[in-house]
Amino acid sequence: MLLAKATQTSALDSRLTADDAELLRQMLRAWGDLDADLLYKGSARGGHLGDEILQAGQPRPPIDLSELLRSEFWQFQMEFAEGWEQHPTMMQPVGGMDRIVKGFESRLGGVIVRKAPVTRIVDGDRKVRVRYRHNGAEHEITADFCINCAPAYLVKDIRNNFSRAYRDALAVVHPGKLFKIAFQGRRRFWEEDDRIYGGISWTDQPIMQLWYPAHGFHKAKGILLGSYTWDPEQGEAWGRLRPEQRLAAAIAQGEKLHPGYGELVEKGISIAWGKVPYQMGCSPEFTPEDRARHFPTLQTPNQRHYLVGDQMSFVSGWQEGAVRSAHAAVEHIHHRVASGD
Amino acid sequence: MLLAKATQTSALDSRLTADDAELLRQMLRAWGDLDADLLYKGSARGGHLGDEILQAGQPRPPIDLSELLRSEFWQFQMEFAEGWEQHPTMMQPVGGMDRIVKGFESRLGGVIVRKAPVTRIVDGDRKVRVRYRHNGAEHEITADFCINCAPAYLVKDIRNNFSRAYRDALAVVHPGKLFKIAFQGRRRFWEEDDRIYGGISWTDQPIMQLWYPAHGFHKAKGILLGSYTWDPEQGEAWGRLRPEQRLAAAIAQGEKLHPGYGELVEKGISIAWGKVPYQMGCSPEFTPEDRARHFPTLQTPNQRHYLVGDQMSFVSGWQEGAVRSAHAAVEHIHHRVASGD
């Protein structure tokens, strides 16, 4: 309303033709659901009070503008779903994101060696050697190429013979300290009591948000995300708590969104990626300056060593970034081999 | 940007505190994805030109404001999904909306008599008699109550003994002239070529809109809605065309949205509800004045005759309105019978 009124002042007249200014007022009236006097008196778009099917729905009264402005919701949550990496259509693998990993795993058979910390990488112009510990013994593999998806901030501390520029680039990548909690609902109270079907509830408490499952509607139980924060300080604070303390804190905070929450959820589990051995974080980050200066260096192999993973994309934390960076490495190797390298 | 600038003029200062005016500017900057000078220079929210995963995405250039204002999109399409009867979460019966009807039908067994136009309704204080034609013969049913879901604009022309007020009320309801076309895609070109997964494409042509299925992603074929208009004049114009003319016109118009459309779709079917015998329209409507004056009369039975259906709700055209009006009638009858009527 204020904005539509503002279009009537001379401030805009110098920037718009009279026709466009009138169209702008009409657009604001349609967009803002304003009355003929350009006043906002509530909108059916916000739902109705009471029955709206057999009786004419009564719109909810407008929320005070000052109160809206003082909420933090517009700082990013309001626009969150419009972010380019959040746009629908978003597909979900049936069974969860790790079905993608499990799918690769099942086709790779016995190729994967687990619990094998790498201790040394010797890159060369014909071969690359990787040394690792496994079951108490030292092993070494010599290969034509190494495609390495370990986080740069761990790779930098593995003994290596990379170029100075490559090592400088590895050193600027720092770990995201993301944190998540999941609970099982003893029943799907968010659907049964609150008619919530998927989506997010935001809060300014440390849990930051609750996510509701977009599948399994009306089944007996379901898993909801009881916290997901990507704030590094909050992530580290959660990580310092013991697992049972984390669940207790998340339940106390969730109580404000869902009264009786503690009785409604069970079997909580938490993960503070900063505490996961040999991962020590997730969703690696560059500052914009470091990204501009060092990312191209890491996008180029150090002789026969390729760094891949979501860290080598502009969508850190997303599987698509990991897959695309692997495709790029494979394509690069293909061209090298095809040209006799 | 213009709006954020407008907040800097004195027009708003008299309506907002200085703190709130500053918050409003910050909110507009976040909402509008403006730069530090409150200028809009394009937004990643609109997607990027070219790769955005392995390279920094390049935002699309802003569309000229005057061009945006001159589009009709903001008149209602932009706000359409915010309408209270369009809000997510919207459930879909597997197999289509008529699965609801089929579900009732399968449980009702042989109770339903089809092809039985009603010729007379004699309402009374103890019984109600309904006369109808079936297989060339006249039949009459005498019952305790009649729950009638025929459209009011047809009921009014059935011989009856309703009260004057009830007949006056029936007479104000007029039929919606909605029109739809469906095509089968020879392949799911909207997904394969355009990466469209469900949703609507709007056009100012007579077809008004295309709908894409929100299910069956990546299957071999799929059904899309090739037109859906609720404009009465357009609906009647479509109805005057022969079925094959309607499909040809819809294909010519769809061509502007999907080049090669005519070769991409097959097996078109159209329905102009205004031409359906014994229905002669759908989604019955009241003017606001008629609704205020006559709807309460129709919500009350005429002795033992209850009018139901989506027409007896504030969501004409939606099954929920029909179901809720039936529930209300059944509840009313329950109380009458329980109190000895």
Side-chain angles (χ1 to χ4, degrees), chain A residues 105-138:
Chain A
E105 191 182 4
S106 70
R107 279 157 188 78
L108 284 169
V111 169
I112 300 170
V113 181
R114 298 172 191 284
K115 301 191 178 178
V118 172
T119 54
R120 189 171 181 182
I121 301 169
V122 181
D123 202 3
D125 61 353
R126 304 303 305 161
K127 295 286 178 186
V128 52
R129 287 184 290 130
V130 175
R131 180 168 292 200
Y132 62 95
R133 279 200 314 276
H134 186 56
N135 291 335
E138 287 279 324

Side-chain angles (χ1 to χ4, degrees), chain A residues 57-341:
Chain A
Q58 298 305 313
R60 299 170 191 280
I63 298 173
D64 178 65
L65 175 63
S66 188
E67 190 181 326
L68 279 176
L69 290 173
R70 281 154 210 282
S71 99
E72 296 184 346
F73 189 70
W74 51 263
Q75 290 186 356
F76 82 90
Q77 292 94 333
M78 190 170 78
E79 289 79 41
F80 185 67
E82 296 182 10
W84 69 272
E85 78 281 35
Q86 300 290 340
H87 284 168
T89 301
M90 196 85 78
M91 302 289 188
Q92 296 178 311
V94 174
M97 290 307 293
D98 66 349
R99 291 299 100 185
I100 305 281
V101 178
K102 298 286 185 191
F104 281 113
E105 191 182 4
S106 70
R107 279 157 188 78
L108 284 169
V111 169
I112 300 170
V113 181
R114 298 172 191 284
K115 301 191 178 178
V118 172
T119 54
R120 189 171 181 182
I121 301 169
V122 181
D123 202 3
D125 61 353
R126 304 303 305 161
K127 295 286 178 186
V128 52
R129 287 184 290 130
V130 175
R131 180 168 292 200
Y132 62 95
R133 279 200 314 276
H134 186 56
N135 291 335
E138 287 279 324
H139 300 263
E140 191 172 272
I141 298 176
T142 301
D144 294 334
F145 299 99
C146 170
I147 301 180
N148 186 353
C149 64
Y153 53 80
L154 297 184
V155 174
K156 77 174 166 51
D157 294 329
I158 295 171
R159 235 177 113 191
N160 66 64
N161 67 336
F162 298 144
S163 73
R164 174 66 187 269
Y166 203 75
R167 277 185 281 157
D168 287 348
L170 290 171
V172 303
V173 186
H174 49 97
K177 302 289 188 186
L178 283 64
F179 175 79
K180 276 183 178 172
I181 286 177
F183 287 110
Q184 179 166 275
R186 293 177 193 273
R187 59 183 182 86
R188 296 173 78 95
F189 57 91
W190 56 93
E191 294 170 2
E192 294 167 6
D193 302 347
D194 303 307
R195 288 181 282 181
I196 292 173
Y197 294 87
I200 297 176
S201 287
W202 295 98
T203 168
D204 56 6
Q205 301 172 97
I207 55 171
M208 192 171 177
Q209 52 190 320
L210 297 189
W211 283 11
Y212 309 94
H215 53 85
F217 293 159
H218 293 178
K219 291 198 169 169
K221 301 199 174 197
I223 309 292
L224 80 167
L225 203 64
S227 171
Y228 178 19
T229 182
W230 48 73
D231 178 289
E233 283 179 34
Q234 295 285 9
E236 293 202 330
W238 282 108
R240 283 190 294 270
L241 298 177
R242 293 193 311 277
E244 64 274 19
Q245 292 176 314
R246 299 172 186 168
L247 301 184
I251 284 172
Q253 294 169 33
E255 187 77 25
K256 296 194 180 176
L257 287 157
H258 297 286
Y261 191 57
E263 297 302 311
L264 293 167
V265 298
E266 62 187 359
K267 296 183 179 166
I269 188 172
S270 66
I271 183 164
W273 275 275
K275 310 267 280 193
V276 176
Y278 302 109
Q279 190 170 5
M280 306 307 287
C282 67
S283 203
E285 293 166 12
F286 299 77
T287 65
E289 299 73 25
D290 286 339
R291 166 88 77 171
R293 181 153 171 219
H294 294 292
F295 191 71
T297 304
L298 295 177
Q299 282 190 304
T300 313
N302 181 91
Q303 294 189 298
R304 295 179 167 268
H305 175 272
Y306 291 79
L307 191 70
V308 296
D310 62 310
Q311 62 189 340
M312 290 311 301
S313 77
F314 285 77
V315 282
S316 187
W318 293 85
Q319 290 191 10
E320 186 175 2
V323 169
R324 287 287 308 278
S325 79
H327 282 181
V330 168
E331 191 179 352
H332 195 273
I333 290 171
H334 168 75
H335 288 300
R336 284 174 76 165
V337 172
S339 61
D341 186 7

Side-chain angles (χ1 to χ4, degrees), chain B residues 229-248:
Chain B
T229 182
W230 48 73
D231 178 289
E233 283 179 34
Q234 294 286 7
E236 294 202 331
W238 282 107
R240 283 191 294 271
L241 298 179
R242 293 194 310 278
E244 64 274 19
Q245 291 176 315
R246 299 172 185 168
L247 302 184

Side-chain angles (χ1 to χ4, degrees), chain B residues 3 15 109 115 126 152 160 172 175 217 235 244 262 268 279 283-284 290 340:
Chain B
L3 300 175
R15 298 161 184 274
K115 301 190 179 179
R126 305 303 303 161
N160 67 64
V172 304
F217 293 159
E244 64 274 19
Q279 190 169 5
S283 203
D290 286 338

Side-chain angles (χ1 to χ4, degrees), chain A residues 20 45 53 66 70 87 314, chain B residues 20 45 53 66 70 314:
Chain A
D20 282 358
R45 293 177 203 163
I53 303 295
S66 188
R70 281 154 210 282
H87 284 168
F314 285 77
Chain B
D20 282 357
R45 294 177 203 162
I53 303 294
S66 188
R70 280 154 210 282
F314 285 77

Side-chain angles (χ1 to χ4, degrees), chain B residues 88-313:
Chain B
T89 300
M90 197 84 77
M91 302 290 188
Q92 296 177 310
V94 175
M97 290 308 293
D98 67 348
R99 292 299 100 187
I100 305 281
V101 178
K102 298 285 185 191
F104 281 113
E105 190 182 6
S106 70
R107 279 158 189 77
L108 284 170
V111 169
I112 301 171
V113 181
R114 299 172 192 283
K115 301 190 179 179
V118 172
T119 54
R120 188 171 181 182
I121 301 170
V122 181
D123 202 3
D125 62 353
R126 305 303 303 161
K127 295 286 179 187
V128 53
R129 287 184 289 130
V130 175
R131 182 168 291 202
Y132 62 95
R133 277 200 316 276
H134 187 56
N135 290 335
E138 287 278 324
H139 300 264
E140 190 173 90
I141 298 176
T142 301
D144 294 334
F145 299 98
C146 170
I147 301 180
N148 186 352
C149 64
Y153 53 81
L154 297 184
V155 174
K156 78 173 165 52
D157 294 329
I158 296 171
R159 235 177 113 191
N160 67 64
N161 66 337
F162 298 144
S163 73
R164 174 67 187 268
Y166 203 75
R167 276 185 281 157
D168 287 349
L170 290 172
V172 304
V173 186
H174 50 97
K177 301 290 189 185
L178 283 65
F179 175 78
K180 277 183 178 172
I181 287 177
F183 288 110
Q184 179 166 275
R186 293 177 193 272
R187 58 183 183 86
R188 297 173 77 95
F189 57 90
W190 55 92
E191 295 171 2
E192 294 167 6
D193 302 347
D194 302 308
R195 288 181 282 181
I196 293 173
Y197 293 87
I200 296 176
S201 288
W202 296 97
T203 168
D204 56 7
Q205 301 172 97
I207 55 170
M208 193 172 178
Q209 51 190 321
L210 297 189
W211 283 12
Y212 309 94
H215 53 85
F217 293 159
H218 292 178
K219 291 198 169 168
K221 300 199 175 196
I223 309 292
L224 81 166
L225 203 64
S227 172
Y228 178 19
T229 182
W230 48 73
D231 178 289
E233 283 179 34
Q234 294 286 7
E236 294 202 331
W238 282 107
R240 283 191 294 271
L241 298 179
R242 293 194 310 278
E244 64 274 19
Q245 291 176 315
R246 299 172 185 168
L247 302 184
I251 284 172
Q253 294 169 32
E255 186 78 26
K256 296 194 181 175
L257 287 157
H258 297 286
Y261 191 57
E263 296 301 311
L264 293 167
V265 298
E266 62 188 358
K267 296 182 179 167
I269 188 171
S270 66
I271 183 163
W273 275 275
K275 310 267 279 192
V276 176
Y278 302 108
Q279 190 169 5
M280 307 306 288
C282 67
S283 203
E285 293 166 13
F286 299 78
T287 66
E289 299 72 25
D290 286 338
R291 165 88 77 173
R293 179 149 172 224
H294 294 291
F295 192 71
T297 304
L298 295 178
Q299 282 190 305
T300 313
N302 181 91
Q303 296 190 295
R304 294 179 167 268
H305 174 272
Y306 291 79
L307 191 70
V308 296
D310 62 311
Q311 62 189 341
M312 289 311 301
S313 77

